[in-house]
């Protein structure tokens, strides 16, 4: 199951991604947390010191593409592979129950509290938007497009809200998106935009309140997002310890905040896996990107990369002849 945390700057995406990843790891499932935000803080919050940070995906795009392409005859070269290029027969797929492929081996580390961690590496505004061939977040889209995940396996992505994820289709690669919102007008301001995109593309979202101080704050959130408000986290003293790098165990969290983590997990686990939608939208956004910029950038007709006989999901694993070979 894949979940994204999005929201305004400073709303608590990184904090909640980290807490949720740790909570999920504590429940035994394999979990990979991915830092795909402009400012890269997730590793730090997960207790990883700078020298131990994983290799950034965003600066190894060619290598990642080469591997994922496998011997898919529709993708002429790694250079012809763009962030939206969907897998087809011959592509190499990734799995979390058997993370022995070179992508997980080279780019994921295990953090002290259990979750795996991958990072895009820092990026700036020029890395965002539909026209960027070298988009670092594109690595996450490629990863998710080639990942066949099942129940009880988790990818948690700490994302930027808006621009790139909407344009490329990244926001459609998740089983659920948590929109983190502080109880302020700023905090709820991206809600409408997200809700409208989500509805258009049949993407489930849920609003998670954060830094809530009391009933008035809950009422404010409810007034602005209605039934999309799934749960909320109170302003937490325990989170300070996380931020300051002091020892922090999940059990240090206030009871209502721990309960809120359980609500998030239950809600994620309750989402149906819709591989048909996933495959349809992968193709749709690829064709859209091909027409908008990628055909021009590569000098090829990238629509031919779509394999009409490829079925997304677990069925595709049976087709693979080299799922774990380097
Ligand atoms: N529930 C909470 N209680 C107390 N402090 C919190 C809580 N959630 C987040 N914070 C604090 O708020 C600040 C911003 O949180 P965080 O870095 O997680 O936000 P972000 O959305 O990832 O920000 P950015 O957009 O900069 O990446 C941090 O100092 C964090 O410790
Ligand atoms: Mg952050």
């Amino acid at each position: 199951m894949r979940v994204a945390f999005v929201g305004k700057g400073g709303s608590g995406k990184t904090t909640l991604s980290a807490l949720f990843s740790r909570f999920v790891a504590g429940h035994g499932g394999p979990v990979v947390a991915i830092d795909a935000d402009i400012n890269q803080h997730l590793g730090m919050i997960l207790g990883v010191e700078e020298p131990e940070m994983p290799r950034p995906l965003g600066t190894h795009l060619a290598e990642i593409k080469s591997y994922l392409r496998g011997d898919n005859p529709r993708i002429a070269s790694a250079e012809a592979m763009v962030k939206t290029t969907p897998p087809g027969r011959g592509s190499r797929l990734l799995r979390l129950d058997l993370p022995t492929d070179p992508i997980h081996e080279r780019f994921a580390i295990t953090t002290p509290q259990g979750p795996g961690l991958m990072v895009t590496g820092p990026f700036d505004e020029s890395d965002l938007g539909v026209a960027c061939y070298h988009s670092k977040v594109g690595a996450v889209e490629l990863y998710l497009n080639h990942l066949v995940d099942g129940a009880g396996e988790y990818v948690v992505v700490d994302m930027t809200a808006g621009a790139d994820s909407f344009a490329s289709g990244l926001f459609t690669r998740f089983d659920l998106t948590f929109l983190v919102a502080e109880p302020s007008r700023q905090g709820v301001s991206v809600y409408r935009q997200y809700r409208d995109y989500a509805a258009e593309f049949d993407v489930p979202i849920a609003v998670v309140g954060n830094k809530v101080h009391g009933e008035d704050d809950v009422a404010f959130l409810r007034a602005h997002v209605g039934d999309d408000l799934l749960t909320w986290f109170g302003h937490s003293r325990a989170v300070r310890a996380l931020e300051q790098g002091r020892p922090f165990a999940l059990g240090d969290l206030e009871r209502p905040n721990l309960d809120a983590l359980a609500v998030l997990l239950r809600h994620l686990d309750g989402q149906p896996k819709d591989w048909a939608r996933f495959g349809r939208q992968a193709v749709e956004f690829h064709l859209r990107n091909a027409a908008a910029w990628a055909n021009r950038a590569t000098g090829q007709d990238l629509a031919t990369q779509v394999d009409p006989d490829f079925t997304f999901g677990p069925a595709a694993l049976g087709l693979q002849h080299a799922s774990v070979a380097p």
Side-chain angles (χ1 to χ4, degrees), residues 151-163:
E153 303 165 0
Y154 303 89
V155 175
V156 177
V157 184
D158 178 8
M159 289 228 299
T160 50

Side-chain angles (χ1 to χ4, degrees), residues 11 40 49 56 62 67-68 84 86 92 111-112 153 182 184 218 256 323:
S11 57
Q40 301 256 296
E49 302 294 336
Y67 176 75
L68 295 177
T84 53
R92 291 197 174 103
T111 63
E153 303 165 0
E182 289 183 68
S184 64
V218 176
S323 64

Side-chain angles (χ1 to χ4, degrees), residues 67-122:
Y67 176 75
L68 295 177
R69 182 169 76 91
D71 56 12
N72 181 341
R74 293 172 181 273
I75 309 170
S77 63
E79 292 72 45
M81 198 164 175
V82 294
K83 60 190 172 184
T84 53
T85 296
R89 284 168 297 168
S91 294
R92 291 197 174 103
L93 302 174
L94 305 169
R95 42 202 293 187
L96 293 169
D97 58 337
L98 250 185
T100 50
D101 56 85
I103 303 298
H104 286 109
E105 270 180 0
R106 280 183 45 76
F107 297 100
I109 60 164
T110 302
T111 63
Q113 270 75 33
L117 173 69
M118 299 203 291
V119 304
T120 56

Side-chain angles (χ1 to χ4, degrees), residues 13-14 37 39 41 158:
K13 301 177 290 292
T14 303
D37 200 359
N39 306 307
H41 289 135
D158 178 8

Side-chain angles (χ1 to χ4, degrees), residues 70 73 122 155 224 240-241 250 290 322:
V155 175
H224 283 85
R240 271 266 177 238
L250 273 186

